[in-house]
């Protein structure tokens, strides 16, 4: 799904910018650098269909009211004039018909940016001297959104899918239809026996796919008959790994069909990827290159020693920061709403990798967060 964003509302009040997944890293790096008192982050789950998405407007209004009360309890109202103007303006600006899995707002007195992201979240209001960017990290690493390429004798479609909700994508000129192949298919009602014709068709499909996904970061699922999948594999130059393949006939499949078929396969494939990634953690543990626990992990990450960070989905940890050290659940120094958010940002800044795993998958390591050290 595209991510809808508005930046510096008062400067660009008549423009709506669309940020695609390929821009998430840049967005994260930009927001990570913002330091101001206060920085307000509001996160809420949203709906993709009507009339449910109209509830999102009410939820946002309630969270905005909560944010106002908390801000006024900590700052003078005169120092919040710009931020409150931004908060009012952004609520009026957001079109909830474009909602996906969650809405994230990032506001200061001078700027306002909001993103619709394809992830599952809990409602949250964070007021600190920087933004809570965990949602961006989760969106960059998750597979709630993905593409499905359906290879068919009638036409080959590209679908953009959020969980089990698909819609046709026209990126790269999809759907792709070869008139010669279509004529043969209409006559014989099966894939052509002419190898050269079919190869040429799939080469065309591969070119369209490369154009469509040249900069995309979302996973790709390919679906079709055994023969179609094999031939596409032979001719495709798609440089990124395919998350999973689905065997079947999708000539008459609707968007609803694609979502229902693909989502369980994607979930299983993603779980398998997580399990494979955990093998790296097991190997590193035998070499004494693993640290667990938020405080210890943060210390290593701050030194630039974090290679791969594993975090269980839904794990948040409040605490405080004193110098270059964090304390879990202890309010000594600067209070932090979520230490895990700070850890993830630090690991990414130091060119490390963040992997989210299902709840309970780190139980054997005695915690919900673990880090493989570079050295």
């Amino acid at each position: 799904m595209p991510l809808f964003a508005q930046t510096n509302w008062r400067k660009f009040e008549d423009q709506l910018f669309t940020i695609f997944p390929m821009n998430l890293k840049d967005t994260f790096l930009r927001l990570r650098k913002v330091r101001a008192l206060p920085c307000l982050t509001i996160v809420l789950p949203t709906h993709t269909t009507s009339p449910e998405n109209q509830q999102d407007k009410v939820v946002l209004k309630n969270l905005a009211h909560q944010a106002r009360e908390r801000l006024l309890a900590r700052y003078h109202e005169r120092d919040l004039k710009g931020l409150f103007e931004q908060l009012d303006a952004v609520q009026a600006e957001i079109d909830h018909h474009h909602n996906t899995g969650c809405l994230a707002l990032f506001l200061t007195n001078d700027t306002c940016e909001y993103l619709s992201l394809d992830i599952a979240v809990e409602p949250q209001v964070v007021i600190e001297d920087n933004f809570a960017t965990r949602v961006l990290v989760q969106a960059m690493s998750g597979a709630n959104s993905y593409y499905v390429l359906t290879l068919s004798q009638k036409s080959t479609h590209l679908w953009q899918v959020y969980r089990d909700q698909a819609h046709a994508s026209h990126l790269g000129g999809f759907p792709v239809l070869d008139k010669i192949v279509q004529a043969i298919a209409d006559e014989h009602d099966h894939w052509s026996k002419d190898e050269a014709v079919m190869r040429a068709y799939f080469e065309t499909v591969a070119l369209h796919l490369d154009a469509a996904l040249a900069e995309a970061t979302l996973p790709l699922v390919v679906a079709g008959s055994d023969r179609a999948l094999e031939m596409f594999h032979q001719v495709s130059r798609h440089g990124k790994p395919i998350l999973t393949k689905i065997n079947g006939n999708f000539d008459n499949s609707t968007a609803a069909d694609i979502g229902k078929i693909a989502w369980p396969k994607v979930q299983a494939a993603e779980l398998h990827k997580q399990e494979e990634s955990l093998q790296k953690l097991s190997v590193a543990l035998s070499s004494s290159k693993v640290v667990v626990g938020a405080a210890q992990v943060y210390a290593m990450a701050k030194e630039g020693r974090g290679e791969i960070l594993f975090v269980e989905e839904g794990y948040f940890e409040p605490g405080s920061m004193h110098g270059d050290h964090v304390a879990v659940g202890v309010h000594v120094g600067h209070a932090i709403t979520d230490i895990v958010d700070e850890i993830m940002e630090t690991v990414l800044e130091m060119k490390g990798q963040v992997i989210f795993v299902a709840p309970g998958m780190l139980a054997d390591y005695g915690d919900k967060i673990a880090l493989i050290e570079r050295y």
Side-chain angles (χ1 to χ4, degrees):
M1 297 283 183
L3 314 175
F4 300 92
Q6 179 76 40
T7 307
N8 295 333
W9 181 83
R10 284 176 290 183
K11 182 177 180 181
F12 301 108
E13 58 182 333
D14 297 324
Q15 301 179 43
L16 181 65
F17 295 95
T18 302
I19 297 180
F20 292 96
M22 58 186 173
N23 301 116
L24 267 182
K25 186 175 181 181
D26 291 339
T27 303
F28 163 77
L29 292 173
R30 184 178 68 255
L31 292 177
R32 169 64 173 158
K33 294 177 182 177
V34 176
R35 291 292 185 273
L37 281 174
C39 282
L40 171 64
T41 306
I42 298 178
V43 177
L44 64 148
T46 54
H47 300 80
T48 60
T49 57
S50 181
E52 291 83 0
N53 55 20
Q54 293 309 304
Q55 303 171 20
D56 303 336
K57 184 176 183 179
V58 177
V59 173
L60 176 57
K61 182 179 179 180
N62 292 337
L63 291 174
H65 179 71
Q66 179 190 139
R68 284 176 181 274
E69 291 187 332
R70 288 174 55 184
L71 284 163
L72 287 170
R74 295 172 56 179
Y75 303 94
H76 291 294
E77 185 171 4
R78 64 176 180 272
D79 297 325
L80 299 169
K81 185 172 185 264
L83 195 154
F84 285 165
E85 288 178 357
Q86 300 279 20
L87 189 56
D88 289 337
V90 73
Q91 289 180 80
E93 175 71 18
I94 293 174
D95 183 354
H96 291 279
H97 290 94
H98 294 300
N99 287 345
T100 53
C102 96
L103 192 63
L105 289 74
F106 306 92
L107 301 94
T108 68
N109 274 318
D110 301 315
T111 62
C112 172
E113 186 161 341
Y114 64 90
L115 303 169
S116 183
L117 301 166
D118 296 330
I119 57 175
V121 298
E122 295 294 329
Q124 189 180 26
V125 174
V126 180
I127 301 169
E128 292 182 351
D129 61 357
N130 61 347
F131 291 127
T133 58
R134 180 193 185 106
V135 288
L136 299 178
V137 179
Q138 189 175 346
M140 286 188 286
S141 63
N144 282 335
S145 295
Y146 52 98
Y147 288 105
V148 176
L149 180 72
T150 52
L151 305 167
S152 166
Q153 65 182 24
K154 292 185 176 180
S155 60
T156 292
H157 290 260
L158 183 67
W159 309 84
Q160 201 167 355
V161 193
Y162 170 66
R163 293 179 175 261
D164 62 352
Q165 300 176 37
H167 70 270
S169 172
H170 300 292
L171 292 174
F174 279 95
V176 178
L177 172 65
D178 189 294
K179 294 181 179 179
I180 297 176
V181 173
Q182 182 64 48
I184 296 173
D186 289 343
E187 181 180 352
H188 299 287
D189 196 32
H190 59 73
W191 284 106
S192 169
K193 294 182 180 179
D194 189 327
E195 195 82 11
V197 171
M198 295 310 302
R199 182 173 293 276
Y201 172 64
F202 281 117
E203 287 175 348
T204 300
V205 169
L207 289 174
H208 282 264
L209 182 67
D210 289 344
L213 307 186
E215 300 295 336
T217 60
L218 298 184
L220 175 66
V221 176
V222 180
S225 67
D226 283 337
R227 186 180 181 205
L229 291 171
E230 175 59 29
M231 189 171 293
F232 179 76
H233 174 73
Q234 292 176 16
V235 303
S236 174
R237 293 178 294 276
H238 186 60
K240 298 173 184 175
I242 293 172
L243 180 62
T244 189
K245 297 177 182 179
I246 304 174
N247 181 267
N249 185 322
F250 301 94
D251 286 359
N252 301 307
S253 295
T254 64
D257 296 331
I258 296 299
K260 290 178 181 178
I261 293 168
W263 179 231
K265 301 285 188 182
V266 167
Q267 287 179 299
E270 189 62 28
L271 181 60
H272 180 67
K273 279 179 59 180
Q274 292 177 10
E275 291 171 343
E276 285 188 331
S277 296
L278 284 176
Q279 293 298 317
K280 299 178 182 178
L281 191 60
S282 178
V283 171
L285 183 65
S286 64
S287 303
S288 301
K289 292 176 61 179
V290 174
V291 291
V292 298
Q296 293 81 3
V297 167
Y298 180 77
M300 294 299 100
K302 196 67 178 176
E303 292 180 13
R305 294 171 62 178
E307 182 176 6
I308 305 177
L309 176 70
F310 293 86
V311 180
E312 289 191 3
E313 294 176 0
Y315 173 51
F316 291 83
E317 192 73 75
S320 59
M321 179 178 293
H322 184 69
D324 286 338
H325 302 280
V326 296
V328 177
V330 179
H331 297 293
V332 178
H334 174 59
I336 301 177
T337 303
D338 180 24
I339 292 174
V340 179
D341 182 76
E342 192 71 26
I343 292 171
M344 290 189 295
E345 291 177 348
T346 303
V347 169
L348 290 173
E349 282 185 345
M350 300 292 186
K351 310 300 182 184
Q353 180 184 2
V354 176
I355 297 177
F356 285 91
V357 296
M361 290 188 77
L362 296 177
D364 290 344
Y365 299 90
D367 213 294
K368 297 180 180 181
I369 187 168
L371 180 75
I372 297 178
E373 298 177 89
R374 289 192 172 101
Y375 54 91

